[in-house]
Amino acid sequence: MGPAEKIKNIRLQIADCTKCKLHFSRRNVVPGEGPADSQIMFIGEAPGFYENEQGLPFVGAAGKFLDELLEAAGMEREQVFITNVVKCRPPSNREPQEEELDACRDFLEQQIAAINPAVIVTLGRYSMGNYVKKGKISMIHGRPITVNGRLIVPMYHPAAALHQPSLRSVLLEDFAKLPGMIMKAEEMHENDIKINGPAQFDNEEDGKVKRNNAQQLNLFD
Ligand code: SF4
């Protein structure tokens, strides 16, 4: 199965999902969108009001700002894959709960395995928490780490800048560094594939990743 088919298959699984209580209040699932062969993936936290209405990620005010940030990095939305750690809206935009994050984690892992991006940008602390267990976003935003030959770049969530305008310039500066990071990551990713081969799947149907190289957590200066 190729990446596009895998992404479609994951989308279908999400559409029928009742693994956590968020399915009771959702209007639409929000699996994510973008090319299945994208070299860069953006992972936010959870769908909000407009995302729940439309079934698309980042379509509200935070989405407009994300478009601006992408433009600052010389990218267009159509070139990148955008998703969230949970695929259904928490009621009243509350924070996702631990059991919801756990229930939904497998979908995100399947998406990452299928797309196999060279760079993952985490937007906000729930997304960052998948890779960085300790550390404050205020200290490590914009500083990449490597995990399994992939570059992980923690960033603030664009919505944070809507509440705290001083974060606007911080996000713009961090996004402006992305093109250089992508070049470095693509090189690293190619080398990793040469050494370890492409990611393997335990089971092509559920798409679970078998290869899990020892994690390197080197903060770049
Ligand atoms: Fe399923 Fe994730 Fe939606 Fe929960 S949030 S119902 S686990 S798709």
Side-chain angles (χ1 to χ4, degrees):
M1 209 189 284
E5 265 185 281
K6 282 179 191 156
I7 289 296
K8 194 173 157 195
N9 183 273
I10 299 162
R11 182 178 285 274
L12 293 174
Q13 291 176 50
I14 294 170
D16 288 338
C17 182
T18 55
K19 283 197 287 183
C20 81
K21 61 182 177 299
L22 294 182
H23 82 277
F24 288 117
S25 53
R26 75 182 174 215
R27 180 185 283 266
N28 286 296
V29 293
V30 185
E33 66 168 355
D37 60 353
S38 178
Q39 278 298 289
I40 183 161
M41 207 170 157
F42 291 84
I43 305 174
E45 299 193 346
F49 176 83
Y50 293 104
E51 289 79 13
N52 182 47
E53 292 296 305
Q54 298 179 35
L56 296 169
F58 284 87
V59 288
K64 279 202 185 107
F65 185 40
L66 178 61
D67 288 342
E68 249 183 77
L69 292 165
L70 288 170
E71 200 183 326
M75 288 182 262
E76 289 178 13
R77 186 183 272 243
E78 294 70 31
Q79 298 173 291
V80 302
F81 195 91
I82 304 173
T83 189
N84 287 301
V85 286
V86 295
K87 316 299 189 191
C88 302
R89 182 193 182 209
S92 311
N93 289 353
R94 66 158 168 75
E95 296 186 341
Q97 296 171 349
E98 206 53 46
E99 64 267 26
E100 294 157 359
L101 293 163
D102 287 345
C104 215
R105 186 164 289 118
D106 182 55
F107 292 130
L108 181 61
E109 286 175 2
Q110 287 190 57
Q111 287 175 319
I112 294 169
I115 295 166
N116 197 19
V119 179
I120 290 178
V121 178
T122 63
L123 301 170
R125 63 193 168 95
Y126 287 102
S127 176
M128 182 182 85
N130 280 336
Y131 302 98
V132 184
K133 299 300 169 205
K134 287 181 187 165
K136 289 186 172 173
I137 196 159
S138 57
M139 302 294 290
I140 62 174
H141 68 88
R143 299 179 69 193
I145 58 173
T146 58
V147 179
N148 291 344
R150 210 189 305 282
L151 215 60
I152 310 294
V153 192
M155 297 220 193
Y156 282 104
H157 194 287
L162 303 179
H163 305 296
Q164 200 178 326
S166 60
L167 291 179
R168 242 186 112 78
S169 56
V170 174
L171 267 159
L172 279 161
E173 276 171 31
D174 285 348
F175 265 70
K177 291 186 228 157
L178 274 179
M181 289 180 193
I182 292 167
M183 276 176 65
K184 189 183 269 191
E186 282 176 344
E187 234 171 74
M188 193 172 74
H189 203 50
E190 286 292 309
N191 288 339
D192 183 60
I193 289 171
K194 268 185 216 152
I195 295 165
N196 297 304
Q200 303 288 310
F201 293 87
D202 273 342
N203 174 335
E204 280 292 320
E205 278 180 15
D206 72 12
K208 285 194 177 131
V209 183
K210 189 157 123 193
R211 176 159 67 79
N212 184 23
N213 302 340
Q215 289 202 344
Q216 314 157 33
L217 293 175
N218 303 323
L219 282 171
F220 288 19
D221 289 326

